[in-house]
Amino acid sequence: MELLRELSKEYKTISIVGMAKNAGKTTALNFLIEEAMDEGVRLGITSTGRDGESTDLVTETEKPRVYLYEGTLVSVPRKLYELAEAGLEIISMSNYRTALGELLLCEVKEEGYVQIAGPVATADTRKLCTEMFSCGAELVLVDGAIDRKSVAAPESSDAIILSTGAVISRDIAKVVKETAHVVSLYSLPVLDDSDAKETILSIIDENRIALMRRKAVLDPEPFDVELMDLKTGLGAGRLIDEAITDDVEYVFIPGAITNSIMESINPAKFKNTVFILKDPTKIFIDSVTWKQLVKRGLDMRVIQNIKVCAVTVNPISPEGYSFDSDMLQAEVRKAIPDIPVIDVRK
């Protein structure tokens, strides 16, 4: 399957996000790099963490290295520049700082292994991608650090590739369920009430929970907005529940949404109230609880959702067990039929 050729027709920047360590994220990255070389697509490569080292710095287990070909653009911190086995030419020295020193934008002049890293802030990642395009990149791949869900945020890239696999669970059914759950969250419906969206965007910098009550039809301002003295709902589920009266149509929550927050809100209030988030990366609710909340009538919308353009599966766990690759692919495809699913190891 020529995955990269199809994706590059529709997207310019793609983030690769792993559901867990050893889900095959770096293997997926290497697969796309190989395809780009075969197809003659000039890549830009950056990361929200650090990748390309031969040993995982946390688990001390072996991991795939990143091999780059001539013409590829890559971001490399100064301290990792000297470790590159590839021949790198520095194009520019950026203002983006990392724990490993000043970030360099380089072009690969002689193919070889490279340890990559990139900016910490999502906005800076987007700026770096723009710089890569100005230097001739046709497609930019953003390697996502596993502990940072923010790499999946819509402002960081046009779409994501989600890497999943046996490392999630010894039960193949659970792997499939959790993968489908993440995809469904990322595909949550976008708020289609233009007045409500405009109101939220006007207060979003306040970074506070907002209760919105609709005004009379002829009023020039469509909503009364009550800003709660809360920047996050964490530990404040009961306060939010008490504040939601019968006339509250929307509740905007700028921070994280968790099991405990939503379980503290009376399900009867789901009938008239829609909960709004900036994007799905703010949701930290397990699949079982989410299903129960939806059955009780929860209606959650987002200002912007996330496009999952492909799912890669790794049937092998570092703990010594594995699944049949064809079976895993078939089950995941059955759960998310509209998205390409591949085992890049094959």
Side-chain angles (χ1 to χ4, degrees), residues 148-167:
R148 294 187 59 217
K149 259 184 125 178
S150 61
V151 72
E155 60 265 29
S156 68
S157 59
D158 301 329
I160 72 165
I161 294 172
L162 184 67
S163 295
T164 186
V167 70

Side-chain angles (χ1 to χ4, degrees), residues 4-11:
L4 183 131
R5 176 188 288 180
E6 295 302 314
L7 297 181
S8 62
K9 292 177 182 177
E10 190 168 353
Y11 311 107

Side-chain angles (χ1 to χ4, degrees), residues 10-132:
E10 190 168 353
Y11 311 107
K12 299 294 288 181
T13 309
I14 299 174
S15 295
I16 306 173
V17 181
M19 286 185 57
K21 281 187 177 294
N22 300 303
K25 176 175 61 69
T26 306
T27 302
L29 174 64
N30 284 327
F31 171 81
L32 293 173
I33 292 170
E34 289 279 351
E35 279 207 339
M37 182 196 68
D38 293 340
E39 298 292 334
V41 176
R42 193 180 186 195
L43 289 180
I45 307 287
T46 186
S47 176
T48 60
R50 175 181 178 179
D51 208 349
E53 64 273 32
S54 59
T55 303
D56 190 288
L57 300 178
V58 177
T59 63
E60 298 184 349
T61 56
E62 289 187 12
K63 60 177 295 186
R65 302 172 73 190
V66 177
Y67 194 92
L68 300 182
Y69 296 92
E70 185 177 339
T72 304
L73 300 170
V74 61
S75 62
V76 181
R78 184 175 292 278
K79 289 184 180 180
L80 297 182
Y81 177 81
E82 301 295 335
L83 300 178
E85 296 179 24
L88 301 178
E89 179 182 281
I90 299 174
I91 297 176
S92 64
M93 293 178 286
S94 75
N95 294 322
Y96 311 126
R97 298 289 175 177
T98 73
L100 296 168
E102 185 179 21
L103 195 64
L104 310 175
L105 177 56
C106 303
E107 180 180 352
V108 178
K109 291 297 185 180
E110 183 179 346
E111 64 184 61
Y113 291 104
V114 181
Q115 292 190 45
I116 59 176
V120 174
T122 300
D124 289 341
T125 298
R126 196 70 180 189
K127 290 178 184 177
L128 177 61
C129 292
T130 300
E131 291 178 29
M132 288 181 168

Side-chain angles (χ1 to χ4, degrees), residues 9 23 38 112 136 153 157 173 190 197 225 248 257 274 293:
K9 292 177 182 177
D38 293 340
S157 59
V190 172
K197 185 174 182 179
V225 178
V248 172
I257 284 285
V274 178
L293 290 168

Side-chain angles (χ1 to χ4, degrees), residues 286-302:
D286 65 83
S287 58
V288 174
T289 303
W290 180 263
K291 189 174 182 179
Q292 292 172 345
L293 290 168
V294 171
K295 281 186 175 180
R296 294 170 185 167
L298 174 64
D299 186 353
M300 191 169 287
R301 308 291 176 98
V302 291

Side-chain angles (χ1 to χ4, degrees), residues 209 228 230 232-244 260-266 269:
I209 293 175
M228 299 184 68
L230 295 170
T232 174
L234 298 178
R238 289 187 180 180
L239 293 175
I240 297 172
D241 176 62
E242 292 170 359
I244 299 175
S260 61
I261 293 172
M262 298 312 300
E263 289 175 337
S264 297
I265 297 174
N266 187 339
K269 298 184 178 182

Side-chain angles (χ1 to χ4, degrees), residues 261-318:
I261 293 172
M262 298 312 300
E263 289 175 337
S264 297
I265 297 174
N266 187 339
K269 298 184 178 182
F270 294 163
K271 182 178 180 180
N272 300 317
T273 304
V274 178
F275 293 82
I276 310 297
L277 303 175
K278 183 180 178 183
D279 65 68
T281 64
K282 310 297 182 185
I283 303 174
F284 296 87
I285 300 176
D286 65 83
S287 58
V288 174
T289 303
W290 180 263
K291 189 174 182 179
Q292 292 172 345
L293 290 168
V294 171
K295 281 186 175 180
R296 294 170 185 167
L298 174 64
D299 186 353
M300 191 169 287
R301 308 291 176 98
V302 291
I303 299 299
Q304 190 173 6
N305 59 16
I306 297 164
K307 175 65 177 180
V308 180
C309 59
V311 172
T312 66
V313 298
N314 178 8
I316 302 172
S317 168

